[in-house]
Amino acid sequence: MIDAADLALLSEGLRSAMAEARSAAGLDAALAELGWRELLEESPDEAVALVFGLLGETGAHAPVLNDVLLHAMKRPLGGVVALREDGLAFGRPGEPSPADLDPALGLCRVAWEPLTDEALAAGRRALGLQIVGAGRTMLALAREHALARTQFGRPVAAFQAVRHRLAETLVALEGAQAALEHATDPMTAKLGKALAGRAGLTAMRHCQQVLAGIGFTAEHRFHLFARRVLVLDDLLGSASALTREIGESLEASRIVPRLVDL
Amino acid sequence: MHVDEFRTGLRAWLDEHDLRPVHDGSLDGHMAQLSRVRRALFDAGWMRWGWPEHAGGLGGPVILRAVLGEEVVARDLAEPGIYTLIEVLAPTLIRYASPELLGFVPKLLAGEETWCQGFSEPGTGSDLASLSTRAVRDGDAWVIDGQKVWTSLAQYARRCVLLTRTGGPGHRGISAFLVDMDSPGITVRPIETMHGRDEFAEVFFDGVRVPAARMLGAEGQGWEIAMSILPDERSSCFWQRIAYLYNRLDRLLAEAPAASPRQLGEAFLDLHAIRCRSRLTQHRRTRGDRLGAETSVDKVLLATAEQRLFDTARDLLPGAVEYGDSPWREEYLYSRAATIYGGTAEIQRNIIAKRLLSLGNE
Ligand SMILES: Cc1cc2nc3c(=O)[nH]c(=O)nc-3n(C[C@H](O)[C@H](O)[C@H](O)COP(=O)(O)OP(=O)(O)OC[C@H]3O[C@@H](n4cnc5c(N)ncnc54)[C@H](O)[C@@H]3O)c2cc1C
């Protein structure tokens, strides 16, 4: 456990490293410099919540999901791990991959090895937290725009249809965040990732609509977060695929697990 | 008393004491069962944990009430909606009543009495601050004239937590009373409901004299009192409702022949999200945090989960809602009210937009 003051300090350091980052490789190195790997070894839950939440919010990318998976498999950090059977992985150093929806993620192909249950759970929790972070930024961008943009003589934030879309977005994100705070094993991590994916897509839909024309331009940052959310949702199980899996396991066991208690 | 200790002891006690309902499913039957369950739990002490000692409780953290509610509902011992009404009424009284009125609280907890909540009026739903039932001072009493509507269980209630207008328009002109329902001048007319269990009523007040000592808090404090209900409603009550919904998903899994995994998964995800969220809320409350507008998020998550669950049940059990005589019909229909009572879904989104997202005025 690290104390709250240290955590706040570290959080500021990480945030500025992410804001200044020029490349995935540069940020990877900067995070290592700031002690990411030691923190991951020492208090993995806090490390992942902090770093992945911030990666989501800032829209920066460093291939540190590899470390989360390696750590969960008790292997040395710093390598690359395939996320799918076709070998897709976050490259290290991570050259941009222009053919993909989100080139900044620097996707590459490596040899596939099945992930352990622990690795899958840790990876899902991390990706879920990153999606919620990205959703929060989409919401902030839409909120700012709604307050600044005037139509019919009023800020568009005064229109109830707009307000309710943004309220709906917050509800989805908070529900997912709460689930991720309770993601402590493979099943709860799966639920957390599914809820995060769903919330990310909800945020994308509503915020895009509120941002309207300006949000459809490459000049506005919205599209970067939208692209990111679509890819992160797909990795290690999309909301849609996981929801089906969860339903199948309910059907098979005919028991509804009470996964969290007071 | 710790949560785990409480839960273990309670479960053992409930295993030994058979409180399972034996009634015809009518509202009268449910009410009688509720009194029976309360009485037994009160006498054994379980019902008294989490309530302050000066109000007849045994003290301990409020969260114990949520644990009790969960066990009661998980065993289908009482209908959740009517069970939780005390969670909004008793705390109000404990916070604002004079020591003399506090003596009524144990009667409520022990199932000796039912109370109701007289807030809504024909002209006053979402815009509660516009209420017009009037109370006028006359010597050592107040004289009340007006009408309440959608008052749940008014036909069974011994007392009513009533909001009235004692001053000018707006929030500041509102005062609250604890009114005896057998006072001369009160007429209760049950309203037939859509789901067939006529749980609410119209209540008419015609020159009803209420002793001044029955005012809760001070003159003009009614709005504050009404708003103080939210943290109670949105912690212990919600936890219990969530427990009930899990229970119904169990039932659906047992009954649905060939299910649709995608739909079941969605329904379970919604339940899991509100369960996690509500757990965080309960713990914040136990730590002594003030609960506020952020509980509108809990409210929206819960109403959404409830309606999704019963929509799923209707899809996976074709005809259960429409034909014949299945318990799913009543519960499906009741779930439609989840986005209406306790502040509509739209009002919750207005609160989130204004207070949590700071979007300014409409
Ligand atoms: C089963 C049940 C039990 C109840 N029990 C009780 C009880 O015990 N005691 C009690 O006092 N009351 C009770 N109520 C009443 C309940 O609190 C009210 O129904 C509720 O507050 C809504 O008021 P209304 O029905 O008058 O709807 P209205 O306020 O008239 O609203 C009609 C529609 O307009 C929308 N609307 C209104 N204002 C706005 C706005 N500003 N922005 C956007 N949309 C808006 C609403 O969301 C709704 O969709 C109960 C209701 C039900 C269904």
Side-chain angles (χ1 to χ4, degrees):
Chain A
M1 284 291 267
I2 76 169
D3 73 40
D6 285 351
L7 207 62
L9 204 65
L10 183 59
S11 172
E12 273 326 296
L14 290 167
R15 193 184 280 279
S16 46
M18 291 180 194
E20 286 158 20
R22 293 279 160 272
S23 66
L27 184 56
D28 201 13
L31 293 183
E33 188 74 17
L34 282 164
W36 148 252
R37 291 181 193 174
E38 292 75 16
L39 188 62
L40 181 63
E41 303 276 14
E42 220 176 279
S43 12
D45 290 352
E46 278 134 319
V48 169
L50 184 61
V51 168
F52 282 80
L54 283 172
L55 284 174
E57 274 179 46
T58 58
H61 173 68
V64 285
L65 184 71
N66 289 306
D67 296 330
V68 173
L69 301 173
L70 290 166
H71 175 260
M73 294 190 288
K74 302 192 169 60
R75 284 169 32 192
L77 307 186
V80 173
V81 180
L83 303 169
R84 299 198 312 192
E85 284 186 38
D86 65 359
L88 192 84
F90 286 136
R92 241 173 178 155
E95 293 303 318
S97 49
D100 297 320
L101 173 67
D102 186 356
L105 288 175
L107 296 169
C108 68
R109 306 287 159 139
V110 296
W112 161 250
E113 266 183 74
L115 295 169
T116 61
D117 287 350
E118 292 75 27
L120 201 52
R124 283 174 173 162
R125 178 169 174 270
L127 289 173
L129 289 160
Q130 190 175 357
I131 293 172
V132 170
R136 289 196 192 280
T137 298
M138 290 198 268
L139 178 57
L141 292 172
R143 175 184 172 272
E144 263 168 50
H145 178 72
L147 286 166
R149 171 74 172 170
T150 297
Q151 285 294 283
F152 302 98
R154 298 193 270 166
V156 296
F159 299 116
Q160 203 172 62
V162 167
R163 299 164 81 85
H164 285 194
R165 279 185 185 270
L166 299 184
E168 207 49 52
T169 302
L170 184 67
V171 169
L173 292 171
E174 294 295 357
Q177 175 89 41
L180 289 163
E181 284 178 35
H182 292 88
T184 51
D185 58 29
M187 186 61 180
T188 45
K190 187 188 267 189
L191 286 157
K193 172 74 166 50
L195 282 161
R198 204 162 90 170
L201 298 172
T202 300
M204 179 183 159
R205 186 172 73 249
H206 290 321
C207 296
Q208 175 115 55
Q209 188 64 19
V210 169
L211 286 161
I214 190 72
F216 203 70
T217 65
E219 190 187 319
H220 194 283
R221 293 168 68 219
F222 173 78
H223 77 102
L224 300 172
F225 293 91
R227 289 167 190 275
R228 182 70 37 97
V229 160
L230 288 169
V231 178
L232 299 184
D233 171 51
D234 181 69
L235 293 175
L236 303 186
S238 66
S240 141
L242 294 179
T243 303
R244 166 170 280 282
E245 263 183 47
I246 291 160
E248 279 164 356
S249 63
L250 286 177
E251 231 183 336
S253 66
R254 300 265 159 188
I255 290 170
V256 186
R258 272 63 167 174
L259 297 165
V260 308
D261 253 319
L262 281 178
Chain B
M1 178 71 92
H2 284 288
V3 166
D4 291 333
E5 187 192 344
F6 182 84
R7 190 188 286 118
T8 314
L10 172 63
R11 282 185 179 163
W13 189 88
L14 285 170
D15 287 342
E16 267 174 40
H17 296 79
D18 188 359
L19 289 173
R20 274 172 306 175
V22 270
H23 62 78
D24 54 3
S26 67
L27 186 54
D28 286 348
H30 280 293
M31 291 303 290
Q33 167 68 8
L34 179 63
S35 297
R36 168 175 170 243
V37 169
R38 284 235 178 93
R39 179 83 255 172
L41 291 170
F42 186 88
D43 290 344
W46 302 112
M47 193 76 206
R48 298 170 68 195
W49 286 103
W51 297 97
E53 287 163 57
H54 67 273
L58 295 171
V62 171
I63 208 164
L64 299 179
R65 285 159 30 196
V67 177
L68 176 61
E70 178 168 23
E71 291 301 321
V72 166
V73 162
R75 292 166 192 248
D76 260 327
L77 300 182
E79 204 280 328
I82 61 178
Y83 177 90
T84 48
L85 206 56
I86 59 164
E87 279 293 337
V88 303
L89 295 167
T92 315
L93 217 63
I94 291 168
R95 242 176 263 125
Y96 294 97
S98 59
E100 172 197 350
L101 295 187
L102 269 183
F104 292 128
V105 173
K107 292 179 192 284
L108 183 62
L109 298 182
E112 278 169 43
E113 295 189 355
T114 297
W115 297 0
C116 63
Q117 183 185 31
F119 287 15
S120 305
E121 300 180 359
T124 293
S126 300
D127 185 11
L128 184 59
S130 72
L131 63 86
S132 64
T133 291
R134 187 92 219 162
V136 178
R137 185 78 193 228
D138 179 23
D140 60 357
W142 292 84
V143 179
I144 299 175
D145 285 282
Q147 184 191 344
K148 295 290 168 178
V149 74
W150 324 130
T151 316
S152 296
L153 308 184
Q155 63 273 45
Y156 294 95
R158 181 83 185 78
R159 293 168 227 284
C160 177
V161 174
L162 183 73
L163 291 186
T164 64
R165 186 160 302 285
T166 49
H171 303 170
R172 257 169 259 136
I174 297 173
S175 302
F177 292 92
L178 184 70
V179 177
D180 289 349
M181 290 296 285
D182 59 3
S183 310
I186 295 183
T187 312
V188 177
R189 201 170 63 82
I191 302 172
E192 221 176 289
T193 59
M194 164 169 158
H195 67 314
R197 188 192 289 168
D198 302 342
E199 71 164 44
F200 52 37
E202 288 178 291
V203 185
F204 300 89
F205 296 82
D206 184 10
V208 177
R209 285 186 76 83
V210 178
R214 287 303 191 83
M215 184 179 274
L216 298 173
E219 193 174 335
Q221 218 181 351
W223 183 258
E224 180 192 320
I225 293 174
M227 293 302 112
S228 77
I229 287 174
L230 288 187
D232 300 299
E233 179 191 276
R234 297 193 178 166
S235 49
S236 329
C237 281
F238 277 17
W239 188 258
Q240 200 204 8
R241 189 118 205 118
I242 295 161
Y244 155 76
L245 296 176
Y246 268 79
N247 184 309
R248 289 305 179 262
L249 183 55
D250 281 335
R251 184 181 288 179
L252 177 58
L253 281 179
E255 291 180 18
S260 143
R262 177 68 195 257
Q263 278 178 296
L264 283 177
E266 297 282 4
F268 183 51
L269 277 177
D270 279 0
L271 286 183
H272 183 66
I274 180 57
R275 191 170 170 98
C276 290
R277 170 78 184 183
S278 182
R279 181 175 177 279
L280 296 175
T281 302
Q282 316 271 345
H283 283 279
R284 282 198 301 122
R285 183 174 189 215
T286 303
R287 279 202 310 271
D289 291 9
R290 255 186 91 93
L291 302 186
E294 75 291 340
T295 59
S296 285
V297 171
D298 303 45
K299 174 86 177 140
V300 174
L301 286 171
L302 178 57
T304 307
E306 175 156 356
Q307 293 187 346
R308 166 117 58 179
L309 174 63
F310 286 100
D311 286 344
T312 306
R314 179 175 173 272
D315 280 350
L316 302 189
L317 302 169
V321 170
E322 294 81 2
Y323 312 114
D325 181 22
S326 139
W328 287 103
R329 177 185 305 157
E330 180 183 313
E331 296 185 60
Y332 171 87
L333 290 174
Y334 194 67
S335 73
R336 304 301 100 177
T339 43
I340 300 172
Y341 55 66
T344 70
E346 288 72 29
I347 296 301
Q348 303 313 320
R349 284 166 177 82
N350 290 352
I351 293 170
I352 292 168
K354 180 152 181 181
R355 307 266 306 277
L356 303 182
L357 293 172
S358 305
L359 288 172
N361 290 324
E362 279 173 31

